[in-house]
């Protein structure tokens, strides 16, 4: 039975989440996300005569995925193969589909992260693998801003040059952002992928081009500075072949 | 005399969905290719740069000076 999309947007079910690690979709093996952090610790400034806890934001954002658990799957490119031998550096995107598989404009949580461990254990009778993913140090400054963004392109196969619909982020921002691309399927054809931005959903400028060209399954994160206009979209330009790209983007604030 | 359209050079690729026209970096964009508001915004954000040409008279003088040398 199809699940209806609610007008309120309260339709982001676990069943419709997708988790991409590098070039691989581990959604089918994923069981639990303990926490996808985006938090500020308080700095206690309570004086002895104050009756209520008084605090300021300490200013450091806490980002990372903790308490991740996957079923151990030793098929090719599944959880065991992709997550063994920690620490691993990975480009990660979590997509929150509403009423079905993730679509353009749905929320996303994105990181470039170190997988800190691959602990093995049993949950009842089931073999599981647990890990935390914390931001990769060289990209940490990007996540001091914001890991929460949108899906610009879900996992759909492309056979021709494609320009997606614009995603409306409501307003221009000025502190840059981060974009992830996961090429999950490639037949070795050649493509070019770029993110464009627009103030009016009609006049578009190239914001950033990915280096990956669709010739192989792979992933990449780009970090940009400066103005990002209100609307965002993807242009995938085909020279040859068929490809499945997943693209997410988060503005820095 | 008709007013000359102001010209700009595209620093980043840009395209107009209405006209389906795309400009690669280095291409010349002129008034009317995009709405005025878009051009004003893009001059601020670095998508376009204004082309300011040197007047003929100045060029002539410069040439003459070079010949003198």
């Amino acid at each position: 039975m199809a699940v209806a999309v609610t007008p309120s947007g309260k339709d982001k079910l676990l069943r419709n989440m997708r988790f991409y690690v590098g070039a691989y979709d581990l959604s089918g093996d994923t069981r639990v996300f303990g926490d996808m952090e985006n938090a500020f610790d308080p700095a206690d400034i309570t004086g002895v005569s104050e009756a209520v806890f008084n605090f300021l934001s300490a200013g450091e954002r806490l980002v990372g995925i903790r308490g991740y658990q996957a079923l151990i799957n030793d098929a090719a490119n599944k959880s065991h193969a992709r997550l063994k031998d920690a620490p691993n550096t990975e480009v990660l995107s979590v997509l929150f589909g509403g009423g079905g598989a993730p679509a353009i404009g749905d929320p996303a949580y994105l990181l470039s992260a170190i997988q800190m461990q691959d602990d093995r254990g049993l949950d009842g009778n089931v073999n599981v693998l647990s890990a935390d993913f914390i931001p990769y140090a060289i990209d940490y400054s990007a996540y001091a801003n914001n890991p929460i963004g949108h899906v610009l392109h879900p996992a759909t196969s492309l056979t021709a040059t494609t320009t997606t619909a614009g995603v409306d982020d409501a307003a221009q921002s000025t502190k840059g952002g981060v974009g992830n691309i996961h090429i999950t399927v490639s037949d070795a054809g050649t493509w070019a992928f770029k993110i464009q931005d627009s103030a009016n959903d009609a006049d578009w400028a190239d914001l950033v081009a990915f280096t990956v060209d669709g010739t192989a399954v792979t992933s990449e994160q780009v970090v940009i500075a400066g103005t990002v206009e209100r609307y965002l979209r993807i242009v995938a330009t085909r020279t040859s072949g068929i490809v499945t790209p997943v693209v997410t983007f988060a503005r820095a604030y | 005399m008709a007013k000359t359209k102001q010209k700009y050079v595209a620093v980043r690729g840009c395209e107009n969905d209405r006209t389906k026209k795309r400009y690669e970096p280095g291409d010349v964009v002129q008034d009317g290719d995009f709405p005025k508001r878009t051009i004003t915004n893009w001059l601020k954000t670095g998508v376009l740069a204004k082309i300011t040409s040197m007047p003929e008279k100045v060029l002539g003088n410069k040439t003459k000076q070079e010949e003198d040398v």
Side-chain angles (χ1 to χ4, degrees), chain B residues 11-22:
Chain B
V11 178
R12 284 157 45 189
C14 49
E15 54 195 77
N16 186 333
D17 278 0
R18 303 175 199 88
T19 60
K20 307 290 180 200
K21 194 158 182 194
R22 176 168 172 84

Side-chain angles (χ1 to χ4, degrees), chain B residues 3-4 7 9 12 17 31-32 44-45 51 63-64 67:
Chain B
K3 192 181 171 188
T4 310
K7 292 181 178 174
V9 64
R12 284 157 45 189
D17 278 0
D31 281 342
K44 286 181 197 162
T45 58
I51 298 173
T63 305
K64 194 175 177 187
E67 283 171 1

Side-chain angles (χ1 to χ4, degrees), chain A residues 194 202-204 206 229, chain B residues 12-13 15 18 22 38 41:
Chain A
K194 63 190 166 196
D203 305 315
W204 294 87
D206 297 348
E229 300 289 358
Chain B
R12 284 157 45 189
E15 54 195 77
R18 303 175 199 88
R22 176 168 172 84
T38 296
N41 184 34

Side-chain angles (χ1 to χ4, degrees), chain B residues 33-46:
Chain B
D33 290 337
F34 292 94
K36 192 172 179 183
R37 194 171 170 178
T38 296
I39 289 176
T40 303
N41 184 34
W42 282 354
L43 287 170
K44 286 181 197 162
T45 58

Side-chain angles (χ1 to χ4, degrees), chain A residues 11-160:
Chain A
D11 52 7
K12 308 300 180 287
L13 304 178
L14 182 66
R15 163 78 176 79
N16 300 319
M17 285 178 72
R18 297 291 182 272
F19 182 44
Y20 297 94
V21 177
Y24 303 98
D25 180 357
L26 298 188
S27 311
D29 297 339
T30 296
R31 228 182 178 197
V32 175
F33 288 98
D35 195 7
M36 283 172 255
E37 293 170 329
N38 182 31
F40 290 91
D41 277 341
D44 185 357
I45 56 165
T46 312
V48 292
S49 63
E50 291 185 282
V52 177
F53 179 64
N54 192 1
F55 65 93
L56 289 172
S57 166
E60 297 115 358
R61 192 188 296 262
L62 188 61
V63 172
I65 297 173
R66 297 183 200 262
Y68 171 79
Q69 189 185 84
L71 299 162
I72 294 178
N73 181 346
D74 63 354
N77 296 321
K78 295 301 182 184
S79 66
H80 174 72
R82 301 315 310 173
L83 300 176
K84 67 183 171 67
D85 302 332
N88 298 313
T89 304
E90 302 283 10
V91 174
L92 308 175
S93 290
V94 183
L95 283 58
F96 302 89
I104 293 170
D106 279 339
Y109 184 100
L110 52 149
L111 284 179
S112 170
I114 304 284
Q115 177 201 335
M116 297 301 290
Q117 66 282 101
D118 57 313
D119 294 337
R120 310 302 167 108
L122 285 169
D123 183 1
N125 290 327
V126 181
N127 287 284
V128 294
L129 179 156
S130 300
D132 293 336
F133 301 90
I134 66 168
Y136 187 29
I138 62 168
D139 291 329
Y140 193 81
S141 60
Y143 299 111
N145 297 309
N146 178 33
I148 298 181
H150 287 292
V151 178
L152 298 187
H153 192 272
T156 52
S157 178
L158 300 180
T159 57

